[in-house]
């Protein structure tokens, strides 16, 4: 089976649920944010919508108030630099939404591969 990245955050989260890897995804997000010294504590029962909004809110606040920590987080998670540079940073709320997708996409890729191989 070939890994095909989902086209949107909502598709990604529904795919994680369908494959029963959603809990693993939240664990991976918790782990990588903690490694970047920006701990979040997403509980097992968090809904996909709440997870997306909480990550988005965290990213928005990091961009606004702790930019160096934001860059460190992207580095720790290993979000491709080219994908970040391709985003339009004009509207910070929109940027936070796009970065949230890139973060969740990378975290999902890690979980998916670990589950397969």
């Amino acid at each position: 089976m070939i890994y095909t990245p989902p086209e949107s955050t909502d598709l990604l989260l529904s795919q994680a649920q369908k494959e029963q890897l959603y809990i693993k995804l939240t664990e991976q997000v918790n782990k990588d944010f903690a490694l970047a010294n920006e701990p979040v504590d997403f509980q097992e029962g968090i809904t996909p919508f709440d997870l997306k909004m909480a990550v988005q809110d965290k990213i928005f606040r990091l961009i606004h108030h702790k930019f160096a920590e934001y860059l460190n987080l992207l580095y720790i998670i290993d979000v491709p630099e080219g994908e970040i540079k391709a985003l339009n940073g004009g509207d910070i709320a929109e940027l936070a939404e796009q970065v949230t997708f890139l973060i969740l996409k990378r975290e999902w890729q890690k979980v998916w591969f670990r589950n397969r191989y």
Side-chain angles (χ1 to χ4, degrees):
M1 187 172 198
I2 294 174
Y3 176 77
T4 310
E7 309 259 326
S8 72
T9 305
D10 295 335
L11 288 172
L12 182 154
L13 294 170
S14 77
Q15 184 179 352
Q17 284 183 302
K18 208 179 302 164
E19 297 192 29
Q20 298 179 334
L21 293 172
Y22 177 72
I23 290 169
K24 295 249 182 260
L25 177 63
T26 58
E27 289 169 354
Q28 184 68 46
V29 170
N30 284 335
K31 180 181 139 196
D32 283 346
F33 272 74
L35 281 173
N37 291 319
E38 287 300 328
V40 288
D41 185 23
F42 300 128
Q43 299 298 312
E44 213 174 89
I46 190 169
T47 67
F49 178 79
D50 289 341
L51 174 68
K52 175 175 120 175
M53 296 316 291
V55 171
Q56 204 169 302
D57 184 55
K58 179 80 170 178
I59 295 305
F60 182 85
R61 282 186 277 122
L62 286 174
I63 291 170
H64 245 293
H65 304 292
K66 297 165 82 178
F67 198 74
E69 290 83 348
Y70 159 73
L71 295 176
N72 185 53
L73 176 70
L74 295 177
Y75 176 76
I76 297 282
I77 292 173
D78 192 27
V79 177
E81 193 177 333
E83 290 185 16
I84 293 292
K85 286 183 174 173
L87 300 176
N88 176 1
D91 178 342
I92 293 181
E94 193 176 308
L95 179 65
E97 187 178 340
Q98 294 168 341
V99 170
T100 296
F101 173 59
L102 295 180
I103 287 172
L104 291 174
K105 186 167 76 166
R106 180 65 182 116
E107 298 290 43
W108 171 239
Q109 186 181 26
K110 293 177 191 177
V111 168
W112 190 90
F113 274 105
R114 208 172 290 128
N115 185 57
R116 293 290 184 287
Y117 302 106

